[in-house]
Amino acid sequence: MTADRTAPAGPRRRSLLGAALAGTAVSLTAAPAAGAPEPRTRTRARRGGGLPGLRTPAVVAHRGASGHRPEHTIGAYRLGLDLGADMIEQDVVPTKDGRLVCRHENEIGGTTDVADHPEFADRRTTKSVDGERVTGWFTEDFTLAELKTLRATERLPGRRPDNTLYDGRWPLLTYDEVLDWAAEQGSRRGQPVRLCTETKHATYFRSLDLGVEELLADLLRGRGLDHAGSRVVLQSFEPGSVRRLARLVDNPRILLLAEADSRPADLAAEDDPRTTADLITPEGLRRIARYAHGIGPTLDLVVPRDDDDRLGRPSSLVDDAHDAGLGVYGYTLRNENAFLPADFRRGDDPNVHGDVFGAARAYFRTGIDAVFADHPDTALLAAGDFRRAAES
């Protein structure tokens, strides 16, 4: 997923999950939180596909338990699983020698100690990635062996100072290593570990002859994880990447969706004028359903915010997606005031945890199938509360 919301007011950027559940009916009977929009009752079952048995609403550990540990480290993944998350999310980017590593971005200056390595000082450069100028160090300029000399650090040290305790503790992970870990944990725990894996900057990397989809598909095929019932769900913000994955493997697939006025990188590269708003019309969603099993919208598309940054009335997106046979997996639920709607903040300190339980209820009432969460422990408590209220 993309850059994050780091202040109470400002641009709302992206982050993901899931696959559609067959014939799920959701009863919405929980009492509304103060200031939250009135719930809309959903009684009809919807068409779906992929991942039968995933409870609703489910919780995806966003980049692992990234609210508690530096993101995309074995510590974050392990804690997300130990806390009970239904899925663990990875983002993958390639190295110079064609290996996939788990990083949210190919620029790693903010998530590793690369700046402390004088031998790599000359690798710092400025590039245009998906139309944005970015300065730093990029995975595609390093071999895997070189990246393995680095250690992971907290991406938001000002926002999450406690996580800096773990700076330097863990190396960067290859996707191979994550698959090994998931298989071992699944065997030890007696049930498969579900992964949700995102291809990052696919069009950009294809221009460098680093086809992320092919690299990913090869790994999945080699392990027999390339089928419709696979524990690995695939996702991307680029429709073309999801379509390419659909041609390569049979895994469940999710199209991630950023702000309504944003344009996917592959569409922009092709001078296709369509924006997210065009993709999420009822007809657009039916087209998505031809190659994907679900959508992963920013939560602001599910329940828009008003001019005061408070939650407004839910959009029709969840209903429209369900009518098209698509699951809906929204991102990103975070505990800190800085990321919450204004009506769920507590006090003025942006780093203090707000009423995430109230915010979660508001999103769950829309019938959403899952949320990505930096703090999966609190999201899981909120989901459990919601399920119990719906069943009472």
Side-chain angles (χ1 to χ4, degrees):
M1 300 176 186
T2 62
D4 300 301
R5 186 183 180 85
T6 57
R12 296 156 194 135
R13 303 292 296 274
R14 61 191 176 193
S15 203
L16 6 54
L17 182 305
L21 304 180
T24 302
V26 181
S27 172
L28 303 173
T29 58
E38 288 298 314
R40 293 178 298 147
T41 302
R42 292 186 54 82
T43 56
R44 67 180 180 279
R46 63 173 175 80
R47 295 179 292 126
L51 297 188
L54 187 67
R55 58 186 173 177
T56 304
V59 172
V60 185
H62 182 235
R63 312 177 199 174
S66 58
H68 301 289
R69 302 287 188 272
E71 65 188 34
H72 290 312
T73 60
I74 192 62
Y77 294 158
R78 185 185 298 124
L79 181 59
L81 187 61
D82 288 344
L83 290 172
D86 298 288
M87 299 184 75
I88 311 296
E89 189 210 22
Q90 306 79 46
D91 300 305
V92 294
V93 292
T95 66
K96 183 177 182 179
D97 47 349
R99 300 292 298 276
L100 292 179
V101 291
C102 297
R103 292 285 91 190
H104 176 245
E105 293 293 339
N106 54 329
E107 198 290 300
I108 54 174
T111 60
T112 74
D113 62 357
V114 65
D116 298 330
H117 287 250
E119 69 273 25
F120 298 138
D122 62 350
R123 306 284 179 93
R124 189 171 187 269
T125 187
T126 298
K127 300 188 179 190
S128 179
V129 181
D130 294 346
E132 294 186 11
R133 298 287 286 176
V134 183
T135 298
W137 290 263
F138 298 82
T139 60
E140 65 267 25
D141 295 333
F142 292 79
T143 66
L144 178 59
E146 290 173 328
L147 288 177
K148 278 296 188 179
T149 67
L150 307 180
R151 312 296 283 189
T153 60
E154 171 56 36
R155 183 178 60 87
L156 300 172
R159 185 78 65 213
R160 294 168 177 169
D162 290 349
N163 289 10
T164 63
L165 171 66
Y166 304 98
D167 283 357
R169 187 173 186 87
W170 294 296
L172 275 62
L173 286 169
T174 67
Y175 190 59
D176 266 320
E177 290 171 328
V178 173
L179 293 176
D180 286 341
W181 168 78
E184 184 275 328
Q185 289 294 309
S187 177
R188 185 168 71 82
R189 296 168 188 253
Q191 60 182 12
V193 174
R194 296 180 187 268
L195 305 177
C196 188
T197 305
E198 179 183 347
T199 59
K200 299 293 296 188
H201 306 301
T203 295
Y204 167 78
F205 284 121
R206 188 160 296 283
S207 73
L208 303 178
D209 293 325
L210 289 169
V212 180
E213 299 92 348
E214 286 79 7
L215 294 171
L216 180 55
D218 285 347
L219 289 175
L220 296 175
R221 287 195 210 99
R223 294 170 178 262
L225 295 172
D226 58 329
H227 53 88
S230 175
R231 57 181 168 84
V232 181
V233 177
L234 305 178
Q235 60 184 6
S236 177
F237 278 97
E238 299 184 29
S241 184
V242 180
R243 288 193 185 96
R244 187 176 295 273
L245 288 167
R247 293 193 294 269
L248 293 169
V249 292
D250 292 327
N251 297 62
R253 298 171 299 278
I254 304 301
L255 177 63
L256 299 170
L257 299 163
E259 296 81 5
D261 61 354
S262 66
R263 193 155 48 134
D266 57 334
L267 299 189
E270 298 164 359
D271 292 325
D272 186 325
R274 286 179 297 164
T275 64
T276 296
D278 299 308
L279 298 179
I280 61 175
T281 64
E283 176 57 28
L285 291 167
R286 287 192 290 271
R287 289 175 181 166
I288 292 172
R290 296 171 188 170
Y291 59 87
H293 302 82
I295 57 171
T298 170
L299 288 168
D300 289 339
L301 291 177
V302 176
V303 186
R305 302 191 194 191
D306 62 22
D307 292 341
D308 295 322
D309 215 25
R310 301 169 66 89
L311 286 189
R313 295 195 62 80
S315 73
S316 65
L317 179 59
V318 173
D319 287 344
D320 292 343
H322 286 175
D323 288 343
L326 296 164
V328 182
Y329 311 92
Y331 69 88
T332 303
L333 191 66
R334 297 180 170 100
N335 288 11
E336 294 95 347
N337 276 335
F339 304 110
L340 289 168
D343 33 339
F344 296 101
R345 296 174 197 150
R346 289 177 171 169
D348 297 324
D349 187 339
N351 298 333
V352 167
H353 288 196
D355 180 15
V356 69
F357 296 109
R361 281 194 299 271
Y363 294 123
F364 291 155
R365 286 193 195 103
T366 67
I368 200 169
D369 299 281
V371 293
F372 289 85
D374 283 10
H375 304 82
D377 45 346
T378 50
L380 285 161
L381 286 172
D385 291 345
F386 183 81
R387 284 191 292 267
R388 284 188 292 275
E391 293 167 359
S392 64

